[in-house]
Structure formats: C-alpha cells, structure tokens
Amino acid sequence: MITIAVDFDGTIVTHEYPKIGQEIPFAIATLKRLQSENECKLILWSVRSGKLLDEAVEYCRIKGLEFYAVNKDFPEEVYDKASNRKVNADIYIDDRNVGGLPDWGVIYAMIKGKTRPIYDTQYIKPKPKNIIIRFGEWLAKR
Ligand SMILES: [Mg+2]
C-alpha cells in the first residue's frame, strides 16, 4: 500500500486560487483508477484551509473522488499547523515539482512503474555492443 499526496490547485484543477479552476484533463480519472488498482491511499495536500479547503474536497467528492485524509497523515490525526507542515507520503504529485507537472497519463505510467524519470540512471540500460565491436574484443583477448 503506497501513500500518494496530491496537490489541488494547478494539479487537479488549473490554478485559479481561491476560485476552483477547470479540471486538468484526466486528473480525477487517473487518481480514481490508481485508488482502485493499487490500493493506494490518497491524501489531499493543499495550502487551502477552512472553507476553501472544504470546497476543494467537495469538488472532488462530487466527481467521485474521496481522499483517505486531507492535509493529514491519517484521518484521525489532529491537525497542528505548527508541526504538521508536510504530510508523510511515498509519492507527491504537485505542479510545483521540479520540472513541472507531467501529463496525468505520464503520472499514471510513472506510478505503475511503466516508465521512470530520465534522471533515474539505474533504469537506463547500456546499449548492447554491436557484433563488430564484440568480435574485435574477442580477437584482442586471444
Ligand atoms: Mg499547486
């Protein structure tokens, strides 16, 4: 079970804070799909608070997206802004990511392990040497 913290403004909807922007294509569908397939916990992770936060939660609920927790590690946690500045998650999805927010289709593939960020060098396999180079190395060893 992985925990995913997801931002709202600029990530699920276009950034029109304090208004609610337009849904970013496939954001909610992707999150709902990840929830159902991966058994992941989704935490809404937003600078919104009070009424503005409630509006964001309600916007998602109407579209069928329910969060495990909102600006908290778990639902029963007592929120204390002074100490709970960052929620505890395995993955954060935020439009303020370095490199920006990928398309939601790309986010889905990254989380499912179908692609990795290009800076993950361990994932980049060296190209196999061609037959002529291998033959040359074989000759050199003899
Ligand atoms: Mg944002």
Side-chain angles (χ1 to χ4, degrees), residues 27 34 52 54 80 131:
L34 286 167
L52 294 178
D54 293 344
D80 169 14
I131 188 85

Side-chain angles (χ1 to χ4, degrees), residues 7-11 15 94-96:
D7 173 50
F8 186 72
D9 295 282
T11 300
H15 205 300
D94 194 307
D95 63 307
R96 300 284 168 89

